[in-house]
Amino acid sequence: INCEPVENWESKEYATMKRILRIKFDKSKELYQKLKETGSAQLINNNTYRDEYWGVYYGKGQNLLGKILMEIRSE
């Protein structure tokens, strides 16, 4: 396992997470079906661990995980 820091990680993490989630849903048709069943609902990663980057904490956050899931659902 390569534990070296990734150069410009901040510019790559969104695409990396999206690629990982695509693989996850490609491998599990059951999970993909559950994602599709959410229809057009807005998906929000509410959390209590203060993550305002991937989710929403007390109404504040970028919700990037939710946005990726909605992108994958619409593809």
Side-chain angles (χ1 to χ4, degrees):
I1 297 176
N2 182 356
C3 294
E4 296 295 318
V6 176
E7 189 173 321
N8 298 318
W9 173 246
E10 291 79 18
S11 66
K12 298 173 183 172
E13 63 185 318
Y14 185 90
T16 301
M17 178 66 92
K18 189 170 182 178
R19 192 166 42 250
I20 290 166
L21 288 171
R22 266 202 194 111
I23 292 167
K24 176 179 182 168
F25 287 106
D26 283 347
K27 290 191 176 284
S28 175
K29 299 303 176 194
E30 181 180 337
L31 283 179
Y32 182 69
Q33 183 59 37
K34 287 181 186 240
L35 179 62
K36 292 298 273 185
E37 288 173 2
T38 63
S40 61
Q42 183 178 17
L43 302 178
I44 299 173
N45 176 26
N46 281 311
N47 68 79
T48 57
Y49 42 90
R50 300 182 178 159
D51 182 352
E52 293 180 5
Y53 182 75
W54 294 111
V56 174
Y57 176 68
Y58 282 106
K60 292 174 38 181
Q62 297 179 61
N63 190 39
L64 295 180
L65 177 59
K67 290 176 182 176
I68 290 173
L69 291 172
M70 291 184 286
E71 287 176 22
I72 291 172
R73 178 182 65 194
S74 70
E75 293 173 352

